[in-house]
Amino acid sequence: MGIIELLLLAVGLSMDAFAVSACKGLSMQRVSFGKAAICGIWFGVFQALMPLIGFFLGSSFERLISAIAPWIAFVLLLLIGGNMIREALGGDDDEEASAALDVKTMFMMAVATSIDALAVGITFACVPVSLFTGGVIANTLVAVFIIGCTTFAISCAGVKIGSIFGTRFKKKAEIA
């Protein structure tokens, strides 16, 4: 996996966090960089940690599945993408937008939006990231850093966009 694929993957993984951040922004009276950064840090850290955990889990089984690894990666990513589209196109959720940024709320949201990143981490073990000649673990660490930074930026933007545009574009943002 090269840099272009990694950036596309990072943006794709960030979309759940973007949608939640936009809802946070919608529900806030005043949006400041500090509040946007809180969302960005929570979501960015978890979007980076989950693929790292998935990579180490997948590395444990990589020798057993190396012959069919590209197909496993394909199926996992196909299921993740299909599930994200299904959720976006599904009926209206009963989710109520909340401006709460407390640890419990943010932890639950960060975990919920980053579960798909765990599966992506497993694919990193099967189809290694090749950004430079530093080795598999170094490339994976750079990849999760890029995913975390991308999610941070997109989540911060989501809070601001949510406060500006409201729920008008929520479904479209989730589909994207």
Side-chain angles (χ1 to χ4, degrees), residues 64-83:
L64 301 173
I65 59 174
S66 62
I68 57 169
W71 289 104
I72 292 172
F74 171 74
V75 169
L76 282 172
L77 292 173
L78 185 68
L79 290 172
I80 291 166
N83 187 50

Side-chain angles (χ1 to χ4, degrees), residues 130-151:
S130 301
L131 302 175
F132 58 94
T133 59
V136 175
I137 293 178
N139 275 287
T140 302
L141 290 173
V142 170
V144 299
F145 179 76
I146 290 170
I147 290 169
C149 289
T150 302
T151 303

Side-chain angles (χ1 to χ4, degrees), residues 54-141:
F55 169 74
F56 287 119
L57 287 173
S59 295
S60 303
F61 303 106
E62 193 268 330
R63 279 179 265 130
L64 301 173
I65 59 174
S66 62
I68 57 169
W71 289 104
I72 292 172
F74 171 74
V75 169
L76 282 172
L77 292 173
L78 185 68
L79 290 172
I80 291 166
N83 187 50
M84 289 173 71
I85 291 171
R86 181 189 59 79
E87 287 176 359
L89 294 175
D92 289 337
D93 322 18
D94 290 336
E95 295 177 21
E96 189 173 307
S98 166
L101 296 174
D102 60 278
V103 172
K104 181 181 175 187
T105 300
M106 293 307 298
F107 177 80
M108 296 302 287
M109 288 184 167
V111 169
T113 59
S114 63
I115 293 296
D116 52 350
L118 184 69
V120 167
I122 294 170
T123 66
F124 285 170
C126 301
V127 181
V129 178
S130 301
L131 302 175
F132 58 94
T133 59
V136 175
I137 293 178
N139 275 287
T140 302
L141 290 173

